[in-house]
Amino acid sequence: MTRLKTVDIAGLDSMLSLYEAELIAKTGDDLIGLACRAADISKGHFQKRVNALSIGLIPITSGQGIIIGFCDAVASILSHVGGKIFVTQKPDVGGWAESFERGADIVMMADDDRFVALNMTHRLVVDNAAATGRAFATGLNMMAGNLEDCAVLVIGCGPVGTSAVETLIRIGARVTIYDIHPSRCRDLKDRVNTPLKSAIRLADDPEPALTENKFILDASPAENIIKVDHITPETYISAPGIPLGLSEAARLKVSNRLLHDPLQLGVVTMLAMAVKHLP
Ligand code: PYL
Protein backbone atom coordinates (compact mmCIF):
# COMPACT_ATOMS: atom_id res chain seq x y z
CA MET A 1 0.00 0.00 0.00
CA THR A 2 1.42 3.40 -0.94
CA ARG A 3 1.98 5.64 2.09
CA LEU A 4 0.29 9.03 1.69
CA LYS A 5 2.38 12.16 2.02
CA THR A 6 1.18 15.35 3.70
CA VAL A 7 1.21 17.04 0.28
CA ASP A 8 -1.32 14.45 -1.02
CA ILE A 9 -3.93 15.60 1.52
CA ALA A 10 -3.02 19.28 1.90
CA GLY A 11 -6.12 21.48 1.54
CA LEU A 12 -8.44 18.48 1.29
CA ASP A 13 -10.84 19.93 3.87
CA SER A 14 -11.20 23.30 2.16
CA MET A 15 -11.80 21.62 -1.22
CA LEU A 16 -14.47 19.13 -0.05
CA SER A 17 -17.45 21.09 -1.40
CA LEU A 18 -15.80 21.51 -4.83
CA TYR A 19 -14.74 17.84 -4.77
CA GLU A 20 -18.33 16.79 -4.04
CA ALA A 21 -19.80 19.00 -6.77
CA GLU A 22 -17.44 17.33 -9.27
CA LEU A 23 -18.39 13.88 -7.89
CA ILE A 24 -22.09 14.63 -8.43
CA ALA A 25 -21.38 15.78 -11.99
CA LYS A 26 -19.41 12.58 -12.75
CA THR A 27 -21.52 9.95 -10.98
CA GLY A 28 -24.92 11.56 -10.37
CA ASP A 29 -24.63 11.27 -6.61
CA ASP A 30 -22.77 12.76 -3.65
CA LEU A 31 -20.30 11.18 -1.21
CA ILE A 32 -23.01 9.75 1.04
CA GLY A 33 -24.99 8.45 -1.94
CA LEU A 34 -22.04 6.68 -3.52
CA ALA A 35 -20.81 5.27 -0.19
CA CYS A 36 -24.26 3.94 0.70
CA ARG A 37 -24.59 2.31 -2.72
CA ALA A 38 -21.12 0.76 -2.26
CA ALA A 39 -22.04 -0.50 1.23
CA ASP A 40 -25.54 -1.53 0.11
CA ILE A 41 -27.41 0.54 2.72
CA SER A 42 -30.01 3.29 2.37
CA LYS A 43 -29.11 6.97 2.85
CA GLY A 44 -31.78 7.12 5.55
CA HIS A 45 -30.14 4.26 7.48
CA PHE A 46 -26.75 5.98 7.17
CA GLN A 47 -27.88 9.45 8.25
CA LYS A 48 -30.03 8.22 11.15
CA ARG A 49 -27.15 6.25 12.65
CA VAL A 50 -24.18 8.46 11.78
CA ASN A 51 -25.75 11.57 13.34
CA ALA A 52 -25.97 9.71 16.66
CA LEU A 53 -22.39 8.45 16.56
CA SER A 54 -19.22 9.57 18.32
CA ILE A 55 -16.12 8.73 16.27
CA GLY A 56 -12.60 8.86 17.69
CA LEU A 57 -9.54 9.14 15.40
CA ILE A 58 -6.29 7.95 16.98
CA PRO A 59 -2.91 9.01 15.52
CA ILE A 60 -0.58 5.99 15.43
CA THR A 61 3.20 6.41 15.81
CA SER A 62 4.28 2.85 14.90
CA GLY A 63 6.39 2.07 11.83
CA GLN A 64 7.07 5.19 9.75
CA GLY A 65 5.02 7.19 12.22
CA ILE A 66 2.44 9.91 12.01
CA ILE A 67 1.58 11.60 8.69
CA ILE A 68 1.05 15.28 9.45
CA GLY A 69 -2.54 16.10 8.51
CA PHE A 70 -3.74 12.51 8.04
CA CYS A 71 -6.12 12.30 11.03
CA ASP A 72 -7.29 15.87 10.47
CA ALA A 73 -8.06 15.06 6.81
CA VAL A 74 -10.06 11.97 7.81
CA ALA A 75 -11.86 14.03 10.49
CA SER A 76 -12.80 16.72 7.95
CA ILE A 77 -14.25 14.11 5.57
CA LEU A 78 -16.29 12.49 8.36
CA SER A 79 -17.50 15.85 9.70
CA HIS A 80 -18.65 16.66 6.16
CA VAL A 81 -21.03 13.67 6.20
CA GLY A 82 -22.20 13.85 9.83
CA GLY A 83 -21.36 12.49 13.27
CA LYS A 84 -19.44 13.83 16.27
CA ILE A 85 -15.76 13.46 15.34
CA PHE A 86 -12.69 13.99 17.50
CA VAL A 87 -8.97 13.40 17.01
CA THR A 88 -7.42 12.22 20.27
CA GLN A 89 -4.90 14.50 21.97
CA LYS A 90 -2.50 11.60 22.48
CA PRO A 91 -1.48 8.91 19.98
CA ASP A 92 -1.48 5.13 20.50
CA VAL A 93 -2.43 3.94 24.02
CA GLY A 94 -3.29 7.43 25.26
CA GLY A 95 -5.56 7.82 22.24
CA TRP A 96 -7.31 4.54 23.00
CA ALA A 97 -7.85 5.60 26.63
CA GLU A 98 -9.24 8.96 25.54
CA SER A 99 -11.56 7.29 23.00
CA PHE A 100 -13.00 5.10 25.76
CA GLU A 101 -13.23 8.03 28.21
CA ARG A 102 -15.12 10.07 25.58
CA GLY A 103 -17.45 7.16 24.76
CA ALA A 104 -16.47 6.68 21.12
CA ASP A 105 -18.84 4.34 19.28
CA ILE A 106 -16.36 3.93 16.43
CA VAL A 107 -12.58 4.25 16.57
CA MET A 108 -10.47 4.77 13.43
CA MET A 109 -6.70 4.50 13.10
CA ALA A 110 -4.00 3.60 10.58
CA ASP A 111 -0.51 2.14 10.76
CA ASP A 112 1.74 1.40 7.78
CA ASP A 113 -0.22 -1.74 6.88
CA ARG A 114 -3.89 -1.15 7.67
CA PHE A 115 -6.40 1.68 8.09
CA VAL A 116 -9.43 0.41 10.02
CA ALA A 117 -12.72 1.51 11.51
CA LEU A 118 -13.63 -0.45 14.63
CA ASN A 119 -17.27 -0.55 15.68
CA MET A 120 -16.89 -0.82 19.46
CA THR A 121 -20.42 -1.96 20.24
CA HIS A 122 -20.73 -4.64 17.58
CA ARG A 123 -17.06 -5.64 17.47
CA LEU A 124 -16.91 -5.03 13.69
CA VAL A 125 -13.71 -4.27 11.76
CA VAL A 126 -13.94 -2.37 8.47
CA ASP A 127 -10.78 -2.10 6.37
CA ASN A 128 -10.07 0.95 4.22
CA ALA A 129 -8.74 -1.21 1.36
CA ALA A 130 -11.96 -3.24 1.16
CA ALA A 131 -14.07 -0.09 1.38
CA THR A 132 -11.97 1.75 -1.20
CA GLY A 133 -12.20 -1.10 -3.72
CA ARG A 134 -15.99 -1.19 -3.32
CA ALA A 135 -16.28 2.61 -3.58
CA PHE A 136 -14.22 3.04 -6.74
CA ALA A 137 -15.85 0.07 -8.49
CA THR A 138 -19.27 1.48 -7.59
CA GLY A 139 -18.20 4.93 -8.80
CA LEU A 140 -17.03 3.48 -12.13
CA ASN A 141 -20.41 1.77 -12.53
CA MET A 142 -22.21 5.04 -11.78
CA MET A 143 -20.01 7.06 -14.19
CA ALA A 144 -20.40 4.53 -17.00
CA GLY A 145 -24.14 4.09 -16.56
CA ASN A 146 -24.21 0.34 -16.09
CA LEU A 147 -21.28 -2.08 -16.30
CA GLU A 148 -23.37 -5.27 -16.48
CA ASP A 149 -21.97 -7.44 -19.30
CA CYS A 150 -19.28 -4.80 -19.95
CA ALA A 151 -15.55 -5.57 -20.10
CA VAL A 152 -13.60 -3.91 -17.29
CA LEU A 153 -9.82 -3.98 -16.73
CA VAL A 154 -8.57 -3.93 -13.14
CA ILE A 155 -4.89 -3.04 -12.73
CA GLY A 156 -3.36 -4.09 -9.41
CA CYS A 157 -4.28 -7.28 -7.55
CA GLY A 158 -3.69 -6.14 -3.99
CA PRO A 159 -6.39 -5.68 -1.31
CA VAL A 160 -8.02 -2.70 -3.07
CA GLY A 161 -7.99 -4.41 -6.48
CA THR A 162 -9.39 -7.61 -4.97
CA SER A 163 -12.30 -5.75 -3.39
CA ALA A 164 -12.92 -3.90 -6.65
CA VAL A 165 -12.96 -7.17 -8.64
CA GLU A 166 -15.48 -8.72 -6.23
CA THR A 167 -17.69 -5.63 -6.51
CA LEU A 168 -17.47 -5.54 -10.31
CA ILE A 169 -18.36 -9.23 -10.55
CA ARG A 170 -21.38 -8.64 -8.28
CA ILE A 171 -22.38 -5.87 -10.70
CA GLY A 172 -22.13 -8.38 -13.56
CA ALA A 173 -19.08 -6.97 -15.34
CA ARG A 174 -16.66 -9.14 -17.32
CA VAL A 175 -13.38 -8.55 -15.47
CA THR A 176 -9.82 -8.79 -16.75
CA ILE A 177 -7.04 -8.41 -14.16
CA TYR A 178 -3.41 -7.39 -14.56
CA ASP A 179 -0.57 -7.09 -12.07
CA ILE A 180 3.16 -6.57 -12.63
CA HIS A 181 3.56 -9.71 -10.50
CA PRO A 182 1.61 -12.46 -12.36
CA SER A 183 1.43 -14.60 -9.22
CA ARG A 184 -0.69 -11.88 -7.59
CA CYS A 185 -3.24 -12.25 -10.38
CA ARG A 186 -3.48 -15.99 -9.78
CA ASP A 187 -3.69 -15.42 -6.02
CA LEU A 188 -6.51 -12.90 -6.52
CA LYS A 189 -8.46 -15.32 -8.67
CA ASP A 190 -8.02 -18.02 -5.98
CA ARG A 191 -8.96 -15.57 -3.20
CA VAL A 192 -11.95 -13.88 -4.76
CA ASN A 193 -15.06 -15.05 -3.00
CA THR A 194 -17.56 -15.41 -5.82
CA PRO A 195 -18.96 -18.32 -7.81
CA LEU A 196 -18.25 -16.27 -10.93
CA LYS A 197 -14.48 -16.29 -10.37
CA SER A 198 -14.07 -18.51 -13.44
CA ALA A 199 -15.19 -15.54 -15.55
CA ILE A 200 -12.10 -13.53 -14.50
CA ARG A 201 -9.55 -13.21 -17.32
CA LEU A 202 -5.83 -12.76 -16.59
CA ALA A 203 -3.79 -10.34 -18.75
CA ASP A 204 -0.02 -10.89 -18.87
CA ASP A 205 0.64 -7.77 -20.96
CA PRO A 206 -0.98 -4.43 -19.97
CA GLU A 207 -0.72 -2.85 -23.42
CA PRO A 208 -3.41 -4.83 -25.31
CA ALA A 209 -5.56 -4.90 -22.17
CA LEU A 210 -5.41 -1.09 -21.91
CA THR A 211 -6.21 -0.72 -25.60
CA GLU A 212 -9.11 -3.20 -25.59
CA ASN A 213 -10.85 -2.04 -22.39
CA LYS A 214 -12.78 1.23 -22.26
CA PHE A 215 -13.56 0.80 -18.55
CA ILE A 216 -10.46 0.77 -16.34
CA LEU A 217 -9.98 0.58 -12.58
CA ASP A 218 -6.39 1.35 -11.60
CA ALA A 219 -5.67 0.07 -8.08
CA SER A 220 -1.88 0.04 -8.60
CA PRO A 221 0.87 2.46 -7.48
CA ALA A 222 2.33 2.45 -11.01
CA GLU A 223 2.93 5.89 -12.53
CA ASN A 224 2.26 6.62 -16.24
CA ILE A 225 0.85 3.14 -16.88
CA ILE A 226 -2.18 4.69 -18.63
CA LYS A 227 -1.06 6.79 -21.58
CA VAL A 228 -2.81 9.23 -23.92
CA ASP A 229 -3.15 6.62 -26.71
CA HIS A 230 -5.17 4.41 -24.34
CA ILE A 231 -7.82 7.12 -23.95
CA THR A 232 -10.86 7.25 -26.29
CA PRO A 233 -14.08 9.31 -25.98
CA GLU A 234 -15.67 6.20 -24.45
CA THR A 235 -12.95 5.63 -21.82
CA TYR A 236 -13.92 5.83 -18.14
CA ILE A 237 -11.28 5.43 -15.42
CA SER A 238 -11.67 4.91 -11.68
CA ALA A 239 -8.28 5.25 -10.00
CA PRO A 240 -7.89 4.55 -6.25
CA GLY A 241 -4.19 3.90 -6.82
CA ILE A 242 -1.71 6.43 -5.42
CA PRO A 243 0.07 8.06 -7.18
CA LEU A 244 -2.39 8.51 -10.09
CA GLY A 245 -1.41 6.09 -12.87
CA LEU A 246 -2.30 8.38 -15.81
CA SER A 247 0.23 10.46 -17.71
CA GLU A 248 -0.51 14.18 -17.69
CA ALA A 249 -1.65 13.98 -21.33
CA ALA A 250 -3.93 11.02 -20.53
CA ARG A 251 -5.40 12.87 -17.55
CA LEU A 252 -6.19 15.88 -19.70
CA LYS A 253 -7.70 13.72 -22.46
CA VAL A 254 -9.94 11.60 -20.19
CA SER A 255 -11.21 14.88 -18.75
CA ASN A 256 -13.97 14.40 -16.16
CA ARG A 257 -14.42 10.70 -16.94
CA LEU A 258 -11.94 10.02 -14.12
CA LEU A 259 -12.49 9.24 -10.42
CA HIS A 260 -9.45 9.74 -8.19
CA ASP A 261 -8.92 10.92 -4.61
CA PRO A 262 -6.48 10.10 -1.78
CA LEU A 263 -9.08 9.36 0.97
CA GLN A 264 -12.58 10.76 0.47
CA LEU A 265 -14.52 7.88 -1.14
CA GLY A 266 -12.79 5.17 0.92
CA VAL A 267 -13.32 6.93 4.25
CA VAL A 268 -17.05 7.60 3.77
CA THR A 269 -17.57 4.05 2.52
CA MET A 270 -15.75 2.73 5.62
CA LEU A 271 -18.25 4.63 7.75
CA ALA A 272 -21.20 3.31 5.73
CA MET A 273 -19.91 -0.26 6.11
CA ALA A 274 -19.31 0.32 9.84
CA VAL A 275 -22.93 1.37 10.48
CA LYS A 276 -24.48 -1.15 8.11
CA HIS A 277 -25.29 -3.68 10.84
CA LEU A 278 -26.30 -1.18 13.53
CA PRO A 279 -29.94 -1.72 14.54
C1 PYL B 1 -4.86 5.00 4.34
C2 PYL B 1 -3.97 5.53 3.26
C3 PYL B 1 -4.60 5.48 1.86
C4 PYL B 1 -3.44 5.22 0.99
N1 PYL B 1 -2.41 4.84 1.70
C5 PYL B 1 -2.71 4.69 3.09
C6 PYL B 1 -1.59 5.20 3.96
O1 PYL B 1 -0.98 6.21 3.70
N2 PYL B 1 -1.36 4.48 5.06
C7 PYL B 1 -0.41 4.91 6.11
C8 PYL B 1 -1.18 5.74 7.12
C9 PYL B 1 -0.30 6.07 8.31
C10 PYL B 1 -1.00 7.00 9.29
C11 PYL B 1 -0.15 7.36 10.50
C12 PYL B 1 -0.91 8.35 11.36
O2 PYL B 1 -0.83 9.56 11.07
O3 PYL B 1 -1.59 7.90 12.31
N3 PYL B 1 0.21 6.14 11.28
Side-chain angles (χ1 to χ4, degrees), residues 1-5 58-62 64-71 109-115 128 132 240 242 262-263:
M1 168 175 55
T2 308
R3 181 179 163 91
L4 286 171
K5 296 186 283 293
I58 306 176
I60 301 297
T61 61
S62 66
Q64 298 185 61
I66 285 173
I67 298 174
I68 304 296
F70 174 78
C71 280
M109 73 205 82
D111 63 12
D112 294 348
D113 302 314
R114 292 188 71 183
F115 174 21
N128 173 261
T132 300
I242 293 173
L263 279 173

Side-chain angles (χ1 to χ4, degrees), residues 8 113 261:
D8 296 324
D113 302 314
D261 73 42

Side-chain angles (χ1 to χ4, degrees), residues 224-236:
N224 291 315
I225 189 170
I226 301 174
K227 297 178 176 59
V228 67
D229 292 345
H230 297 137
I231 309 298
T232 74
E234 295 76 40
T235 301
Y236 287 84

Side-chain angles (χ1 to χ4, degrees), residues 46-202:
F46 177 92
Q47 282 160 331
K48 183 178 172 195
R49 282 147 189 87
V50 166
N51 290 335
L53 282 180
S54 170
I55 303 173
L57 292 170
I58 306 176
I60 301 297
T61 61
S62 66
Q64 298 185 61
I66 285 173
I67 298 174
I68 304 296
F70 174 78
C71 280
D72 289 337
V74 175
S76 67
I77 295 164
L78 294 172
S79 300
H80 184 75
V81 297
K84 297 183 288 296
I85 320 298
F86 64 90
V87 178
T88 61
Q89 294 295 314
K90 297 284 189 187
D92 307 327
V93 174
W96 267 106
E98 183 182 339
S99 295
F100 270 71
E101 288 155 359
R102 295 179 65 169
D105 302 296
I106 291 177
V107 174
M108 296 174 74
M109 73 205 82
D111 63 12
D112 294 348
D113 302 314
R114 292 188 71 183
F115 174 21
V116 294
L118 308 177
N119 179 319
M120 307 296 277
T121 51
H122 290 68
R123 302 179 63 79
L124 269 174
V125 182
V126 176
D127 193 282
N128 173 261
T132 300
R134 275 179 179 244
F136 278 83
T138 301
L140 183 62
N141 189 43
M142 292 166 74
M143 270 201 303
N146 179 4
L147 289 175
E148 189 170 3
D149 292 331
C150 294
V152 181
L153 170 64
V154 176
I155 304 169
C157 294
V160 174
T162 300
S163 174
V165 167
E166 288 178 339
T167 304
L168 289 165
I169 287 178
R170 281 197 298 270
I171 287 169
R174 288 182 282 108
V175 181
T176 297
I177 57 178
Y178 169 75
D179 193 290
I180 196 166
H181 305 293
S183 61
R184 293 184 70 179
C185 284
R186 292 190 294 274
D187 293 348
L188 184 157
K189 190 161 181 176
D190 294 344
R191 196 172 55 243
V192 159
N193 176 26
T194 167
L196 300 177
K197 70 165 66 182
S198 56
I200 298 172
R201 288 177 54 201
L202 277 60

